[in-house]
Amino acid sequence: MNRRYGPMLVALALIWGSSFMFIKIAVRELDPATLILGRLGLAALTLAVVVPALVGTRTTLEQLRLHWRALTVVGLLNTAVPFWLLSWGETRIDSGLASIIQASVPIFNAVLAFAFFHEQRVTRQMLAGIGVGFAGVALLVGAQPQAKVLGALAVVGMATCYALGGLLTRRHLADARPHVVALGTAAIAAVVVAPIGVLRAPEHVPGWKTWASVAVLGVLGTALAYLLFFTIIAGAGAAYAALVTYLVPPVALVYGAVFLDESVGLAALGGLVLIFVGVALGTRAPRRRKARAAEARLVSASSEP
């Protein structure tokens, strides 16, 4: 593991792994829309303070103005909608199961990249990985009681949104500062969900566990996690940062079992294994393509001022 960025990757996995538990706690008293409003509102406020300090106020404002259209689309598809789907899904399924389904994001990314973005060359290995990964998702969804199937499907929808949002970010926001993208998408998503979040607010005052969960999700699970994630991408590369996909589900399963008394069934473990195998096969580039990509990155880096 990278000595410099390894601890960041572990910290990111611990934070994102705990997010599923805190969502499960918060939706006991809050409607998903209200939870998202609180989470994104806190995240946007935190990033509004931190990001200008990191990249400069003028640069932040210029980039927000320049990329506001793309930020709006990505804010909806990569933040507002998947956050709601995950929160709503966790009103019906365990947090650990939601984290396992979330691990299928790279599988959906590969499918969408090939089908609609034409950025992926299909290989036998990729097809095998996609098939195995989808088999894992199907196992997880099919093993759920009828009352929980919609919750599992909502998290599948979340994974699809994350994959699509990531592809759109790479295509339309490649020139934007990553930290500004985090701030812009969080702020726009918060504004979009605000009306529904306010209307769905509970009539009673939630307990301290709910307030604490929203605070942790906003400040740590979104703002700090985004900063860590983009720092890892900038320093160690996107492929290294993607390793968090493998670390989050085990962490979330432990949190759910220890603090929420959630059980881990054979279907969940089997689905987790199939998804991990599918991700490993479906997202592994041939050696020649890896070498060419590395060479291209070196050329690009050497041309930067």
Side-chain angles (χ1 to χ4, degrees):
M1 180 174 286
N2 188 301
R3 291 184 178 181
R4 180 176 181 181
Y5 295 99
M8 291 187 186
L9 191 72
V10 172
L12 183 62
L14 292 174
I15 293 172
W16 272 347
S18 70
S19 295
F20 295 89
M21 175 186 68
F22 288 117
I23 290 172
K24 189 70 175 180
I25 294 173
V27 293
R28 292 172 179 172
E29 291 191 272
L30 295 178
D31 182 87
T34 304
L35 166 59
I36 296 168
L37 174 59
R39 177 181 183 178
L40 290 175
L42 286 173
L45 290 174
T46 303
L47 291 169
V49 174
V50 175
V51 172
L54 292 175
V55 303
T57 301
R58 176 177 295 180
T59 300
T60 300
L61 293 176
E62 287 179 350
Q63 297 230 328
L64 288 174
R65 178 184 57 81
L66 182 63
H67 300 288
W68 70 269
R69 292 182 180 85
L71 288 171
T72 300
V73 175
V74 173
L76 291 174
L77 290 177
N78 201 55
T79 304
V81 175
F83 274 25
W84 185 88
L85 288 170
L86 175 60
S87 300
W88 186 86
E90 285 204 42
T91 64
R92 287 157 173 78
I93 64 174
D94 289 346
S95 64
L97 176 60
S99 72
I100 294 175
I101 298 175
Q102 183 265 346
S104 64
V105 170
I107 298 295
F108 290 99
N109 187 287
V111 172
L112 293 172
F114 165 72
F116 301 104
F117 289 78
H118 307 293
E119 297 175 357
Q120 187 80 41
R121 182 172 64 87
V122 176
T123 63
R124 292 180 181 179
Q125 177 179 289
M126 175 184 170
L127 289 175
I130 291 172
V132 172
F134 276 129
V137 174
L139 174 62
L140 291 171
V141 175
Q144 302 308 307
Q146 186 175 0
K148 296 184 177 181
V149 169
L150 287 179
L153 289 175
V155 183
V156 173
M158 174 212 69
T160 306
C161 285
Y162 277 150
L164 179 58
L167 290 168
L168 289 172
T169 299
R170 186 166 60 189
R171 171 171 289 189
H172 299 289
L173 291 170
D175 297 332
R177 294 288 187 94
H179 299 103
V180 176
V181 173
L183 168 60
T185 53
I188 289 170
V191 171
V192 170
V193 303
I196 301 176
V198 172
L199 289 175
R200 301 291 293 179
E203 297 180 356
H204 67 283
V205 178
W208 71 269
K209 290 183 179 180
T210 300
W211 288 107
S213 296
V214 174
V216 171
L217 287 168
V219 177
L220 297 181
T222 306
L224 178 59
Y226 276 2
L227 293 175
L228 282 174
F229 186 62
F230 288 127
T231 299
I232 295 172
I233 289 176
Y240 187 81
L243 292 176
V244 74
T245 300
Y246 296 93
L247 300 177
V248 167
V251 172
L253 286 171
V254 171
Y255 279 129
V258 174
F259 297 105
L260 301 176
D261 295 324
E262 295 179 352
S263 59
V264 182
L266 291 178
L269 293 176
L272 177 62
V273 171
L274 288 174
I275 289 173
F276 277 179
V277 171
V279 170
L281 291 175
T283 60
R284 183 184 299 169
R287 291 182 178 179
R288 290 183 179 178
R289 292 183 65 197
K290 283 185 176 181
R292 291 175 182 174
E295 183 179 350
R297 284 195 297 270
L298 287 174
V299 172
S300 176
S302 63
S303 64
E304 292 176 359

